[in-house]
Amino acid sequence: MAKVAVLGYGTVGSGVVEVLDTNADQVLESAGEKLEVKYILDLRDFPGDKHETQVVHDINIILDDPEIEVICETMGGIEPAFSFEKSALERGKSVCTSNKELVAAHGPELEEIAKKNGASYLFEASVGGGIPVLRTLNDSMKHEKIDSVTGILNGTTNYILTKMDKEGTGFATVLKAAQDKGYAERNPEADIEGYDARRKLAILASLLSGKYVNSEEIYTEGITRISIEDFEYARTLNMAIKLLAICRKNENGVLLNMVAPFLIPYENSLANVNGVFNAISVHGNMLGDVMFYGKGAGKKATASAVVADMIDIIKHRGKHININMKAEPATVVSKDNAVRSFFVRVPSQCKEQALEVFGRDVDEVRNDNVSGEFAFVTGDLSERDFEEKLWKMDSVKGYIRLY
Ligand code: HSE
């Protein structure tokens, strides 16, 4: 029997307890022994809850109990989660977590502490919710030279973009409806500005590089300036608009990371990932392309991934499960030299200027439902050249990169 503690009895934490209760037989079979929740740490009491007697309010009760082997942190945020995880690992207790903010900020450092103390630090649920992508990268694909990871890593923005596309409704209206239904947070900034996706990308990029990628240094654009007119043109182009998180690694291990909306041809599988679903496409030098698809959020899916980590830790009792991440900073380059085409919209009166600046060989995109503007796709340009050209224009209604 293994004794575990759950920190934070909110959505994911209560989900973890539920998975352990509901799938107790399967967990027993997988781990080889029963997993018992000895403590649940929360500021609140839960009178009437099946597990009310396990609720404690002092982290030291858990840290000081030698029976506790695994601590599952589902509180979220940086503090006190960071201090709690660090203290647990320093005492040789293994930690698993869904806390993407903390893993993005301190994951490599916590992994080093785990290693030093013979414990393990696992965080499958921090990227792609229930999708088992990190374990696969760290295990089945560890022998591959992975040179790219491209993901739809945020369910809220994918839901909004899908609704805008299918229903022809504007961003603000769809966001409001999503908030009313509880699909989007009351404070949606982290999702719609791309910050949530870039944290998840930083975790993936750190794993790819074996070092630390600072999420705040990742170039990030959110979806707030995407309009229904953009979707009209996208349909003309046979493309979808998706918020992509991209990491590319060159032969020398140098990374290029970015998060931004992209136009993707319908024939690309990522274009067909709709609603709250997430997908991550990985390219390995021997394996080729592999795509992971599933629920990137939600109580049970996320909790299932946390329980998978717990089981892994128990199966490897006494051993450190090595995660390819060190606290040393990864070498990253800016997006400036990345070359691609761009879709651009300018007011009709700027057409001539656009042709002078971007060249007369741009491909015009027409759509009968949009008037008063000139829309086109550029030839291949570096990001830096594109930006310089944009600055030369008197007015630009919008632009989206082509994938
Ligand atoms: N806000 C996140 C999303 C939740 O929309 O994907 C899961 O990390």
Side-chain angles (χ1 to χ4, degrees):
M1 161 108 64
K3 306 252 170 130
V4 306
V6 175
L7 314 189
Y9 203 38
T11 306
V12 181
S14 61
V16 167
V17 176
E18 187 181 332
V19 172
L20 290 173
D21 283 347
T22 311
N23 283 14
D25 293 346
Q26 290 72 18
V27 172
L28 169 64
E29 195 176 329
S30 180
E33 60 193 277
K34 192 173 175 336
L35 265 61
E36 187 188 283
V37 178
K38 185 167 179 184
Y39 302 112
I40 296 168
L41 180 81
D42 205 286
L43 291 170
R44 301 161 292 179
D45 287 309
F46 295 87
D49 187 281
K50 185 179 167 193
H51 295 276
E52 69 172 311
T53 57
Q54 280 119 295
V55 175
V56 295
H57 307 300
D58 179 0
I59 183 68
N60 292 312
I61 295 172
I62 297 168
L63 295 174
D64 291 341
D65 186 336
E67 275 195 337
I68 295 294
E69 295 183 63
V70 187
I71 286 179
C72 157
E73 188 270 295
T74 49
M75 302 161 64
I78 301 289
E79 282 296 356
F82 178 54
S83 303
F84 291 176
E85 288 193 8
K86 199 169 165 213
S87 301
L89 292 168
E90 282 167 351
R91 292 176 195 213
K93 294 184 192 298
S94 291
V95 172
C96 54
T97 185
S98 56
N99 187 341
K100 56 208 165 170
E101 195 180 347
L102 180 55
V103 179
H106 295 288
E109 179 187 342
L110 290 162
E111 158 61 10
E112 286 189 354
I113 298 171
K115 191 172 191 172
K116 211 157 104 190
N117 291 282
S120 293
Y121 184 55
L122 301 182
F123 40 89
E124 180 63 72
S126 64
V127 178
I131 306 172
V133 59
L134 302 189
R135 179 163 289 104
T136 312
L137 286 174
N138 196 50
D139 186 358
S140 315
M141 292 181 71
K142 207 165 186 169
H143 61 288
E144 282 286 321
K145 289 185 186 169
I146 296 169
D147 52 26
S148 87
V149 174
T150 307
I152 294 172
L153 300 179
N154 182 267
T156 305
T157 45
N158 205 44
Y159 173 86
I160 293 172
L161 292 175
T162 304
K163 282 270 175 196
M164 287 174 75
D165 188 11
K166 308 284 179 229
E167 295 176 4
T169 316
F171 172 79
T173 312
V174 176
L175 172 62
K176 168 110 188 24
Q179 286 175 314
D180 290 346
K181 285 184 182 156
Y183 295 160
E185 304 276 351
R186 281 284 136 212
N187 179 359
E189 190 189 10
D191 291 317
I192 63 176
E193 298 294 353
Y195 307 148
D196 176 74
R198 84 173 173 191
R199 281 183 199 129
K200 293 166 180 167
L201 181 66
I203 298 170
L204 286 166
S206 295
L207 277 176
L208 230 67
S209 67
K211 295 178 183 169
Y212 170 61
V213 173
N214 183 344
S215 73
E216 286 175 14
E217 288 170 8
I218 296 177
Y219 178 83
T220 305
E221 283 179 25
I223 63 162
T224 51
R225 56 178 188 81
I226 301 295
S227 66
I228 46 173
E229 287 79 14
D230 289 320
F231 282 103
E232 292 287 351
Y233 289 116
R235 280 190 282 278
T236 306
L237 289 163
N238 287 320
M239 292 186 182
I241 301 171
K242 297 289 174 192
L243 182 69
L244 294 186
I246 297 174
C247 172
R248 300 271 179 273
K249 186 166 93 171
N250 74 13
E251 281 293 310
N252 304 320
V254 177
L255 303 180
L256 192 163
N257 305 308
M258 72 183 292
V259 172
F262 275 80
L263 279 155
I264 316 174
Y266 285 147
E267 58 266 25
N268 186 313
S269 308
L270 286 171
N272 300 298
V273 175
N274 290 318
V276 294
F277 278 85
N278 281 196
I280 302 126
S281 174
V282 180
H283 184 266
N285 66 328
M286 295 292 135
L287 190 60
D289 289 314
V290 185
M291 187 155 139
F292 301 84
Y293 172 86
K295 280 190 186 162
K299 175 176 174 163
K300 289 183 192 169
T302 308
S304 177
V306 178
V307 170
D309 282 347
M310 278 186 183
I311 292 171
D312 212 5
I313 289 167
I314 294 305
K315 280 164 94 170
H316 292 89
R317 182 182 275 124
K319 278 192 200 149
H320 167 70
I321 301 170
N322 196 45
I323 303 292
N324 185 36
M325 295 202 310
K326 293 195 178 67
E328 168 193 344
T331 312
V332 293
V333 288
S334 84
K335 64 173 182 32
D336 286 357
N337 292 323
V339 173
R340 61 179 104 254
S341 296
F342 297 80
F343 166 71
V344 186
R345 293 166 50 210
V346 299
S348 298
Q349 66 270 23
C350 294
K351 177 175 177 178
E352 193 47 37
Q353 188 187 34
L355 293 174
E356 273 170 31
V357 171
F358 287 93
R360 299 199 173 267
D361 56 347
V362 297
D363 290 324
E364 181 171 1
V365 187
R366 289 175 190 271
N367 184 288
D368 291 342
N369 296 324
V370 190
S371 58
E373 58 186 65
F374 174 59
F376 58 95
V377 173
T378 70
D380 282 347
L381 287 172
S382 73
E383 289 267 355
R384 186 191 288 115
D385 287 348
F386 176 69
E387 207 171 301
E388 279 171 9
K389 288 179 189 299
L390 269 193
W391 279 109
K392 289 184 185 157
M393 295 297 303
D394 291 337
S395 172
V396 174
K397 297 190 102 167
Y399 68 87
I400 308 177
R401 295 169 177 84
L402 265 69
Y403 185 67

